[in-house]
Amino acid sequence: MFKQKPLAAAVSMAVWSLATLPALAQEIPAGTQMQTVEVTGIRASMAKSLAVKRDATANVEVITAEDVGKMPDKNLADSLQRLAGVAVRTDYDEAEKVSMRGTNPDMSLIIFNGHAVSSADWYVADQGSSSRSTSLSLMPSHVLNQAIVYKTSQANIVDGGLAGTINVTTRKPLSQKERVSGVVSVGGSYVDLADRYAPDLNASVTWKNEANTFGVIASLFAEKRFVRRDSVSRFAYGTSSGWDVINTSTMLGITDASLAGTGYTAADLNGVRMPGSMSSEFVESVRDRKGGMIALQFKPNNDLDINVTGFHSSLDADNHGRLTSSAIYSMLLGKNHPLGSTAATAINTNSNGQRVYAQIRNPVIVNETTVYGHPLKVLKAADIVFPDGTTPQYVGNSEGFFRDGANATSSFLDLDAKYRVNDDLTVKTLWSASRGIGKTELDQGLTLARYGTGISYALGGLHDAPYVKYHNAGANVPGLNADGSGYRIVDRAASGIRTEDKEWSGQFDAEYKLNRSWVQSLESGVRIAEHKRTSGRRGPAFRQPLLDPSGTGALTANAVTPTTGYAPYPADFGGGLGGGFWDNTGFTYTRDFTKQYTAENTKETSPEFERRVSSEIDMKERQTAAYLMANLEGERWSGNVGLRFVRTNVKANIVTPINPRSACLRTAPGQPATTCAAFPGAITTAGDAVGVFDGQPFNPLSGTMYYKTPTDRDFDNWLPSLNLRYELTKDMIARFGASRTIGRQNYNVLGSGFGTPTCDANGCRVTGPNPDMEPQTADNVDLSWGWYFAPRSAVSVSVFHSKIQGYPKTGATGSSTVELTDPRDNTVKTFAINTSSQQGAKIHGIEISYEQPFGKTNFGFTSNVSRAKTRVDDGRPMVGASEWAGNIGLYYEDDKLSTRLVANYRGEYVNSTTAPSPTANSQGLSTINGILMPTAPTYAADVTTLAFNANYYLTPNLELAFSATNLTNAKRAQYRYSEDEQQKLDVSGRQYFLNLRYKF
């Protein structure tokens, strides 16, 4: 589904214009006297990176920070996405998660100084996803010394990178030229969509003694920026938050009479795909990153080298989200539940004592071909309206949620030592501890139902906002009008989440030189790591309910809609989304009012009662490994061959519901814990969001209680590897790599609790984990060729193939069952567990890179393009896999000025969380028009971004730096079965940074 975008075309032209190499390469006549010139900045960084890549035995990509700030990068993910075969997931136009060679980010391992780093997420949904991917939003780019991307594995690399491993090293003080040196940078950022300025400051100082045996590097950073995202989407409450099909047997307003004059009958609309909602979303956030790093190095002689490095980064990211959405399916089904429920018990529409159903008028139907090749029809435009004369009915919702105290931290402390025992034996040790915490103190918000008589819409192109218009729904302000139109409060929520990820590890390595024949040395080592992941929500109790507990959707007398404390959407909302006329108005309660309302309407119970056990993940994982590797060398060739053994022990305490509910009594807040003979491990003191309302007696049998089932599994893997490097000529290198790699399953697949029980005519089902899921393994083959034909010039080609075993398949009904309560009639029944299973997958592809200066000028360029074809056994697309990716960059540098313009292209991919949940049906099946087909995934459409950087030296020590990202204000689009089914479209604006740096 690749489209020849401008960036891809430019990269292709650059790569295949190799006939110009002799003219562009600077040929120097024999006998010419050479002048020594010290190259710095961009050119020095490129030269060093190419030198490391050229000399490496494995197939690697390299970034070297010879001079900080020469690229328009704000974190490490920004820098890594410039490399061939590397793509990033972007949130609010800041690169965050890194993936390699057409895989999901959790299949790539990112290590710092040779050890794993616990990371955290700032957004509440990501905080609960329990992915293994590392968020690099906490890692500013200037902490980088060098990043080596291992595309082929070898036995002495930490295991866990199924698709590849990225080792980021930080700077060492004794490697610096001067005894005392440093840099201080002050400046600020500006985001045009948010129209806000923010300051940033970072400073670093290096000191070492005269003997050059001890040194210290200390750095601090404080970087802040405001962000905003404008979106239109298909998100909605209740039925069909996305897309579904028309069913005239339940949507009784769709009749031949209502379609008169359109050329369609009701039968023609059966099975047509239609959007569940027309929604607009508006999010504001602040990203305030602070932290620092300290590195100490002690090297008393050439035999001993000891390094201690500590790092801490904290990101405060309070965010305020707003949503205005319609409820098309509720309208068509004649349901009036204020949160979109269409269950049989939900209240019906009522106009003058009669149930009414919305009609579809003026339909525009187009044919689509799904990504799986199936023909379908799509309702691209229509009026979804109630019959003339109908009083206002439920037509949608408005909500505003303020995530107060959203924060992510990442820290590590490592000690590594290297000692040369004698000329033949060198030993090394590395000890590290790391912790990452992602938390939101209180995710609080209010939801209102909207009442009117209909909505009209017309979907345009994939990258244009749709036409939207509400009918007789009143102004976008809270409160009901005399005719029943407008808004009223129907729900509120308040809870916090905390996810902690921590690890300590130790390893010991030794290398013994043999220098015998073609075996130069032997390396061996052992490693042990203890990893712990915990996650869970907590929340206060509301004083009074808003909806009657019967589940019909009827409101209580306490449901008083606040009519103050709100603010409209900004006047320029959606200006960058395109499209024709559409209703871009909206409102939300302010963050201060939301906090005030939550505080006034909740009460303290007890810390233990606020616990929500159903959301918890509680896991421990021990990794042990040992390896042996031989380093080989012969005439014009070198390499390594090795074997690594890995044992993974996984212990999970799985949250399990107690059935029957009457088996245990819940403890009232603040009272001594009750015991339960039937379930000795029952967690009776947790409230799990049951109601504790003022003036009402406490019901110890309300809600569901839980206990935890312990699991303990061992998985053993043998990981062989081979890398060969051959010098075809002095400047031309060929490499071959073969290896088996391992990637461990996401934590939620192994240890999440049971959730979303549902029963229908086909039986009862519940989602749950699968602790028996083995780690994924991949058998990989890689062949590459590189030609380093001139200084700072190279062209390389790599082809690769990976066969994966154990790829997760979610939404599968297994043979396991659990006894739970049917929410329809509160009776205990046997539920089949929908969980994850395993299957195979394959990846094969090609990567091409080409970079060099333009002759004798100060100009030059870099470029790369990659293609990765993926195939999963069940025929679904691989989550997070982009078939095409590419970069092209132009640079100029002289003694005063350094500039760089970089374009980055990423092809479409399945846009799922980086931790696909066993609760998701993303890999299930759906029957549409009698065709059993894969459930529609959500695709992120291809996108091209443009960034610019310029550095000007006012004096040899004083530098002015300017950078800009997302210069084209790229629209990020998502769709479902085809581009005719637009799912979401958003923009985040351009970002500008200006800094003054002083070096000493």
Side-chain angles (χ1 to χ4, degrees):
M1 301 179 69
F2 172 67
K3 304 172 185 63
Q4 189 74 350
K5 297 292 181 180
L7 174 64
V11 172
S12 300
M13 291 174 61
V15 169
W16 298 117
S17 297
L18 301 184
T20 63
L21 292 180
L24 291 176
Q26 299 182 32
E27 297 184 3
I28 302 173
T32 302
Q33 184 175 358
M34 298 291 291
Q35 181 179 5
T36 301
V37 178
E38 182 180 2
V39 179
T40 61
I42 293 175
R43 293 170 294 174
S45 181
M46 291 176 60
K48 189 170 183 179
S49 296
L50 285 179
V52 174
K53 180 177 179 178
R54 172 178 175 156
D55 295 339
T57 300
N59 183 8
V60 301
E61 299 287 347
V62 183
I63 296 175
T64 302
E66 279 294 287
D67 206 355
V68 173
K70 296 301 184 183
M71 290 193 292
D73 302 334
K74 293 303 166 186
N75 66 37
L76 291 179
D78 284 328
S79 303
L80 291 168
Q81 72 174 325
R82 318 277 181 219
L83 300 175
V86 177
V88 298
R89 192 192 83 174
T90 298
D91 283 324
Y92 298 92
D93 281 299
E94 181 174 12
E96 243 189 302
K97 305 286 180 85
V98 173
S99 61
M100 295 175 60
R101 290 188 160 179
T103 59
N104 213 27
D106 45 36
M107 295 182 181
S108 300
L109 177 65
I110 300 177
I111 56 180
F112 277 70
N113 296 330
H115 61 81
V117 172
S118 294
S119 182
D121 294 296
W122 63 270
Y123 183 58
V124 64
D126 290 332
Q127 287 168 350
S129 72
S130 286
S131 166
R132 289 186 184 267
S133 59
T134 301
S135 174
L136 294 179
S137 61
L138 290 162
M139 311 295 179
S141 57
H142 53 75
V143 306
L144 168 74
N145 174 60
Q146 188 177 79
I148 300 180
V149 180
Y150 288 91
K151 297 181 177 180
T152 58
S153 187
Q154 52 193 46
N156 63 350
I157 296 178
V158 176
D159 49 85
L162 186 79
T165 301
I166 302 171
N167 186 22
V168 178
T169 58
T170 53
R171 293 182 295 151
K172 294 185 177 182
L174 297 184
S175 299
Q176 309 306 306
K177 294 180 182 180
E178 306 294 334
R179 277 197 60 211
V180 179
S181 61
V183 59
V184 177
S185 174
V186 295
S189 65
Y190 173 74
V191 179
D192 63 357
L193 186 59
D195 193 23
R196 298 287 298 273
Y197 295 88
D200 68 64
L201 166 69
N202 61 76
S204 176
V205 62
T206 302
W207 173 89
K208 58 184 180 178
N209 61 8
E210 291 186 4
N212 203 40
T213 58
F214 178 75
V216 180
I217 293 179
S219 63
L220 296 171
F221 54 87
E223 301 166 342
K224 185 176 183 178
R225 67 186 179 97
F226 293 91
V227 295
R228 171 179 148 185
R229 185 178 69 187
D230 293 359
S231 307
V232 290
S233 74
R234 302 293 80 77
F235 180 83
Y237 281 85
T239 301
S240 188
S241 178
W243 288 75
D244 210 329
V245 296
I246 298 172
N247 182 353
T248 58
S249 67
T250 56
M251 301 174 179
L252 302 184
I254 306 172
T255 63
D256 292 346
S258 69
L259 293 167
T262 66
Y264 293 106
T265 66
D268 296 330
L269 270 65
N270 259 326
V272 173
R273 294 269 292 175
M274 70 174 297
S277 175
M278 292 289 126
S279 302
S280 60
E281 301 174 55
F282 169 51
V283 181
E284 288 180 307
S285 177
V286 61
R287 310 290 285 278
D288 193 357
R289 182 170 59 194
K290 295 183 177 72
M293 185 180 70
I294 185 166
L296 293 81
Q297 185 178 13
F298 177 55
K299 191 174 182 181
N301 51 54
N302 290 330
D303 295 328
L304 180 63
D305 189 1
I306 301 174
N307 292 269
V308 177
T309 306
F311 173 83
H312 176 77
S313 179
S314 176
L315 179 69
D316 290 325
D318 290 355
N319 54 97
H320 191 192
R322 297 86 151 171
L323 169 75
T324 299
S325 67
S326 59
I328 292 175
Y329 273 82
S330 292
M331 296 164 61
L332 291 170
L333 292 169
K335 286 293 182 177
N336 221 31
H337 192 287
L339 291 174
S341 172
T342 55
T345 56
I347 56 177
N348 300 323
T349 52
N350 187 324
S351 179
N352 300 316
Q354 298 293 320
R355 185 177 183 182
V356 289
Y357 296 83
Q359 303 171 345
I360 295 180
R361 299 177 185 174
N362 303 313
V364 176
I365 299 174
V366 299
N367 295 315
E368 72 167 325
T369 301
T370 74
V371 292
Y372 301 109
H374 299 111
L376 288 179
K377 294 181 178 180
V378 173
L379 188 66
K380 292 281 285 188
D383 300 319
I384 313 296
V385 294
F386 288 102
D388 295 342
T390 300
T391 58
Q393 306 294 315
Y394 169 67
V395 295
N397 294 92
S398 175
E399 72 167 24
F401 271 76
F402 175 56
R403 285 97 188 194
D404 197 8
N407 173 268
T409 61
S410 180
S411 307
F412 69 80
L413 177 66
D414 62 51
L415 166 65
D416 74 84
K418 181 178 180 181
Y419 178 60
R420 189 177 68 172
V421 180
N422 53 46
D423 289 343
D424 296 326
L425 178 62
T426 300
V427 296
K428 297 183 292 183
T429 186
L430 173 61
W431 296 89
S432 71
S434 181
R435 185 172 75 160
I437 298 175
K439 63 181 180 180
T440 300
E441 296 292 349
L442 200 59
D443 179 10
Q444 57 202 304
L446 291 81
T447 302
L448 295 90
R450 190 177 195 182
Y451 297 88
T453 60
I455 180 175
S456 297
Y457 77 88
L459 295 172
L462 181 64
H463 291 88
D464 292 306
Y467 165 87
V468 177
K469 180 183 178 181
Y470 286 86
H471 299 287
N472 302 315
N476 256 309
V477 295
L480 288 176
N481 300 308
D483 63 353
S485 65
Y487 289 95
R488 64 175 179 176
I489 191 168
V490 294
D491 196 20
R492 63 271 166 99
S495 67
I497 186 171
R498 187 180 191 274
T499 298
E500 182 176 18
D501 186 89
K502 59 183 180 181
E503 176 176 303
W504 69 262
S505 64
Q507 64 187 70
F508 180 83
D509 303 88
E511 181 176 10
Y512 186 75
K513 293 181 180 179
L514 294 174
N515 295 320
R516 295 179 182 176
S517 183
W518 40 267
V519 181
Q520 295 299 298
S521 66
L522 292 176
E523 291 187 50
S524 64
V526 294
R527 178 180 182 269
I528 184 171
E530 292 276 4
H531 199 101
K532 185 175 182 180
R533 169 65 69 98
T534 57
S535 180
R537 277 187 174 268
R538 292 179 177 272
F542 280 94
R543 294 183 175 277
Q544 296 293 341
L546 285 181
L547 295 182
D548 187 276
S550 64
T552 63
L555 271 72
T556 68
N558 304 304
V560 178
T561 303
T563 56
T564 60
Y566 68 91
Y569 282 11
D572 64 347
F573 171 75
L577 294 173
F581 170 80
W582 57 286
D583 186 353
N584 66 344
T585 62
F587 76 92
T588 188
Y589 294 107
T590 67
R591 51 185 289 175
D592 291 336
F593 181 85
T594 302
K595 292 171 64 175
Q596 176 187 335
Y597 180 94
T598 302
E600 292 174 351
N601 287 273
T602 57
K603 60 182 178 181
E604 290 187 5
T605 51
S606 69
E608 186 64 20
F609 196 82
E610 290 187 354
R611 183 177 171 190
R612 300 186 178 182
V613 180
S614 60
S615 67
E616 293 181 357
I617 292 178
D618 182 4
M619 297 184 61
K620 290 182 180 179
E621 184 177 271
R622 171 174 285 191
Q623 305 165 11
T624 53
Y627 74 90
L628 178 66
M629 187 177 80
N631 293 305
L632 314 174
E633 187 172 341
E635 185 178 357
R636 298 174 61 181
W637 69 275
S638 61
N640 58 61
V641 60
L643 181 65
R644 187 179 184 94
F645 171 75
V646 179
R647 168 165 289 181
T648 306
N649 173 256
V650 181
K651 294 180 179 179
N653 294 311
I654 297 175
V655 174
T656 307
I658 289 174
N659 274 289
R661 292 187 183 184
S662 58
C664 301
L665 298 178
R666 192 183 303 277
T667 304
Q671 299 300 311
T674 58
T675 58
C676 181
F679 294 89
I683 305 171
T684 63
T685 55
D688 270 293
V690 300
V692 188
F693 301 120
D694 291 349
Q696 297 185 15
F698 178 76
N699 181 4
L701 292 176
S702 62
T704 301
M705 276 189 290
Y706 301 87
Y707 66 100
K708 292 191 176 182
T709 303
T711 63
D712 192 336
R713 303 288 191 273
D714 285 321
F715 306 103
D716 293 341
N717 296 96
W718 293 91
L719 309 176
S721 61
L722 170 68
N723 289 282
L724 295 174
R725 176 184 183 274
Y726 185 76
E727 294 186 0
L728 300 169
T729 68
K730 184 183 68 170
D731 299 322
M732 200 173 293
I733 311 296
R735 291 181 177 85
F736 172 78
S739 64
R740 174 171 293 173
T741 52
I742 184 176
R744 298 176 176 89
Q745 302 289 351
N746 283 319
Y747 303 105
N748 61 346
V749 171
L750 297 169
S752 65
F754 295 96
T756 61
T758 57
C759 294
D760 54 30
N762 297 317
C764 294
R765 298 167 302 282
V766 66
T767 57
N770 183 357
D772 295 321
M773 291 274 284
E774 297 182 0
Q776 301 176 71
T777 59
D779 293 327
N780 314 291
V781 177
D782 184 281
L783 182 63
S784 64
W785 166 85
W787 182 20
Y788 304 86
F789 55 88
R792 301 185 302 282
S793 304
V795 60
S796 63
V797 180
S798 299
V799 292
F800 59 91
H801 176 82
S802 295
K803 183 179 180 181
I804 299 173
Q805 294 295 328
Y807 183 76
K809 177 179 174 63
T810 62
T813 302
S815 58
S816 299
T817 60
V818 64
E819 298 299 309
L820 298 175
T821 301
D822 184 343
R824 300 176 303 176
D825 55 17
N826 290 324
T827 60
V828 176
K829 297 178 181 177
T830 300
F831 283 67
I833 301 174
N834 283 359
T835 188
S836 299
S837 60
Q838 296 186 267
Q839 59 184 325
K842 292 180 180 179
I843 306 171
H844 65 272
I846 184 171
E847 299 163 349
I848 304 173
S849 300
Y850 175 30
E851 60 185 270
Q852 75 171 94
F854 288 121
K856 297 181 180 180
T857 71
N858 293 326
F859 291 93
F861 76 97
T862 61
S863 64
N864 64 69
V865 64
S866 62
R867 186 185 191 190
K869 292 284 289 182
T870 62
R871 183 170 65 85
V872 182
D873 283 355
D874 63 6
R876 317 298 169 84
M878 184 175 286
V879 173
S882 288
E883 181 177 349
W884 290 92
N887 296 273
I888 188 165
L890 301 175
Y891 66 86
Y892 172 86
E893 187 170 53
D894 58 28
D895 294 339
K896 284 283 189 180
L897 179 66
S898 169
T899 64
R900 191 172 188 126
L901 181 68
V902 184
N904 175 265
Y905 172 82
R906 182 177 184 183
E908 62 189 7
Y909 63 97
V910 174
N911 182 36
S912 172
T913 171
T914 56
S917 171
T919 65
N921 191 35
S922 60
Q923 291 170 296
L925 296 173
S926 299
T927 300
I928 303 176
N929 294 343
I931 302 173
L932 185 64
M933 65 179 72
T935 300
T938 300
Y939 277 87
D942 57 302
V943 64
T944 301
T945 57
L946 189 66
F948 175 75
N949 176 261
N951 301 69
Y952 183 75
Y953 282 94
L954 303 170
T955 71
N957 292 56
L958 189 61
E959 175 188 11
L960 186 65
F962 170 79
S963 62
T965 60
N966 193 32
L967 278 171
T968 57
N969 194 21
K971 299 178 186 178
R972 298 184 181 273
Q974 300 175 22
Y975 63 91
R976 299 296 290 270
Y977 270 134
S978 80
E979 292 186 1
D980 284 321
E981 296 188 11
Q982 183 193 68
Q983 180 66 15
K984 190 174 185 180
L985 181 71
D986 62 58
V987 292
S988 295
R990 302 169 183 85
Q991 302 164 25
Y992 304 96
F993 305 87
L994 184 65
N995 293 83
L996 187 65
R997 297 193 183 102
Y998 177 70
K999 299 180 181 181
F1000 58 91

